[in-house]
DNA sequence: CCTACGTATATACGTTTGTCTATACACATG
DNA sequence: CATGTGTATAGACAAACGTATATACGTAGG
């Protein structure tokens, strides 16, 4: 078993004919096929191979099937997005600024030539189980990072917080859901959506802070 | 042009051979093909025709293509769900009970043999534009009804509310997003998700009420 | 140089799909 | 009964797909 991996890996001496293409090239080919009207789940093996300039059968040297490619795409999209949004978040110190700048950065990723966010927005509800599970995993990462940030800011500013993980989950799911609708709207509508998202997220934060202040019973 | 419609419509005297099948039968056939691993967007014309027991070409007598069928499916699913959830909502008079009972009713629709909710949950992000627009339209209907209910309850209980349409949108999108993740989880997890959703929605409501009370500035 | 090996391609098969064209069917009307 | 009309089916087509088999290519080690 050749153990699907880039030939330039840890194996010192590559035997046989050199691989003319790498996993990364296939991923790039798949990415270039995506667009506002094309989702990962509709990519065919032959299509990706064609785009990459290889024979259909060569695809199998790198991925077992298109689902495996899709999962890798989702994982890459998730980590790239977390890096981008994480950067914009660490620059902020108050909730107001962190909310707005994070959401602004998020919405910037809906730019037509950014392919990563649409992948996460679209592929969460269709495709194979491995597919949806991969998206769910990335969302959970987002939630974790957001949660620790929320707790950090609550400490700094002495504002209370209850159910921090739930707050993070609510904000994450809400922002992604709103982003999914924005994705199919003309770009001129994006600023309006952004303002809506900011108000929504602030409502959640005011809610948890109020509940913390009042020691609200939860049932 | 025979004006695609059920033969038993307003036209008094049907000429020619009787239609052996109706639009509704085709819709039922499509519904029966759906399941946890089968989304509307993956249904093929031949498959639906096969399930309905007609020749592939006969499909065209009732729908122009599968997209048109899908849109009808989405509209039916939306109106059915609004009726179901609307009933459970009018029985409640306080926010606490209306929130819980509405969400409970919502989650009941994730029962494996209920096909309507999964349609709205899954088809919102993929498929043709007409497709996504149909789902968006149904969500907007949900928001409108929820909004007037929120205003009604705020009046009854003398709790303030700001940005009522935004509150309704946030709750709707959040509940649907959470439902989408619950759909792919074992049913034993549903009660936990339900409790999470209740807390999330209450946070939003507490948030808007607090903002109303404090007359919070919004920028 | 030659041999072994890993990679890439070529060709092909069997399905499934949407759709076209032509034809058989059943009913209402004369 | 005969005729017209709208429906349903039959059969075929090209296209695209995933994949199996066989073969050519290029590199490394002997």
């Amino acid at each position: 078993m050749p153990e699907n991996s880039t030939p330039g890996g840890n194996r010192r001496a590559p035997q046989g004919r050199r691989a003319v293409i790498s996993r990364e090239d296939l991923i790039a080919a798949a990415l270039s096929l995506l667009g506002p009207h094309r989702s990962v789940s509709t990519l065919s093996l032959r299509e990706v191979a064609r785009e990459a300039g290889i024979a259909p059968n060569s695809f199998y040297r790198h991925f077992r099937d298109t689902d495996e490619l899709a999962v890798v795409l989702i994982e890459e999209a998730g980590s790239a997005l977390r890096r981008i949004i994480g950067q914009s978040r660490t620059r902020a110190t108050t909730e107001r600024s962190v909310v707005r700048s994070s959401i602004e950065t998020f919405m910037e990723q809906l730019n037509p030539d950014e392919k990563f966010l649409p992948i996460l927005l679209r592929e969460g509800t269709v495709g194979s189980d491995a597919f949806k599970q991969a998206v769910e995993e990335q969302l959970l990462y987002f939630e974790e990072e957001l949660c620790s940030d929320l707790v950090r800011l609550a400490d700094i500013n002495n504002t209370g917080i209850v159910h921090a993980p739930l707050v993070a989950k609510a904000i994450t799911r809400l922002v992604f859901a709103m982003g999914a609708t924005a994705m199919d709207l003309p770009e001129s509508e994006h600023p309006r959506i952004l303002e809506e998202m900011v108000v929504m997220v602030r409502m959640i934060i005011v809610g948890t802070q109020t509940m913390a202040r009042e020691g609200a019973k939860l049932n």
Side-chain angles (χ1 to χ4, degrees), chain A:
Chain A
M1 187 185 296
E3 187 60 37
N4 277 351
S5 66
T6 307
N10 42 9
R11 186 69 76 198
R12 187 62 57 86
Q15 295 262 17
R17 182 176 176 176
R18 292 279 173 79
V20 70
I21 226 173
S22 65
R23 274 171 78 100
E24 285 70 27
D25 293 326
L26 270 177
I27 292 175
L31 266 177
S32 75
L33 288 172
L34 297 180
H37 290 275
R38 217 46 218 291
S39 72
V40 178
S41 35
T42 67
L43 290 180
S44 77
L45 183 151
R46 293 181 99 106
E47 200 175 5
V48 176
R50 211 180 304 132
E51 178 70 20
I54 62 173
N57 268 326
S58 300
F59 184 93
Y60 294 117
R61 296 276 171 190
H62 305 281
F63 299 98
R64 185 141 40 102
D65 48 31
T66 51
D67 267 23
E68 191 173 301
L69 199 179
V71 169
V72 173
L73 268 177
I74 291 169
E75 288 168 351
E76 292 218 352
S79 66
L81 276 175
R82 274 181 286 121
R83 184 176 42 75
I84 292 170
I85 296 187
Q87 284 176 357
S88 95
R89 202 156 50 199
T90 52
R91 287 196 293 267
T93 53
T94 71
E95 286 99 344
R96 301 192 85 78
S97 67
V98 74
V99 166
R100 176 167 289 276
S101 69
S102 295
I103 299 182
E104 278 174 356
T105 308
F106 180 90
M107 290 295 286
E108 283 170 10
Q109 300 304 309
L110 288 182
N111 185 292
D113 49 321
E114 304 285 346
K115 308 283 187 101
F116 286 138
L117 181 51
I119 292 179
L120 289 187
L121 292 180
R122 251 199 301 259
E123 321 294 339
T125 55
V126 285
S128 69
D129 285 336
F131 227 84
K132 295 184 277 192
Q133 199 172 339
V135 175
E136 179 70 13
E137 191 181 341
Q138 297 301 319
L139 289 185
L140 289 178
Y141 287 152
F142 268 97
E143 292 175 21
E144 283 178 21
E145 297 182 2
L146 175 55
C147 183
S148 57
D149 241 43
L150 288 172
V151 171
R152 179 174 66 83
L153 289 175
D155 276 355
I156 290 180
N157 301 332
N158 254 339
T159 62
I161 188 170
V162 289
H163 294 302
L166 273 190
V167 175
K169 186 183 279 281
I171 293 177
T172 302
R173 306 293 163 147
L174 184 54
V175 167
F176 272 79
M178 290 295 293
T181 82
M183 187 174 46
D184 299 319
L185 261 44
E187 213 160 346
S188 59
E189 301 279 348
H190 289 191
R192 183 177 56 79
I193 306 275
L194 190 145
E195 296 305 322
E196 291 185 357
M197 290 162 77
V198 170
V199 175
M200 288 173 174
V201 171
R202 282 184 185 157
M203 277 182 183
I204 296 177
I205 293 178
V206 169
T208 185
Q209 290 176 348
T210 303
M211 289 166 87
R213 215 178 311 125
E214 299 179 355
K217 47 260 170 244
L218 305 166
N219 299 310

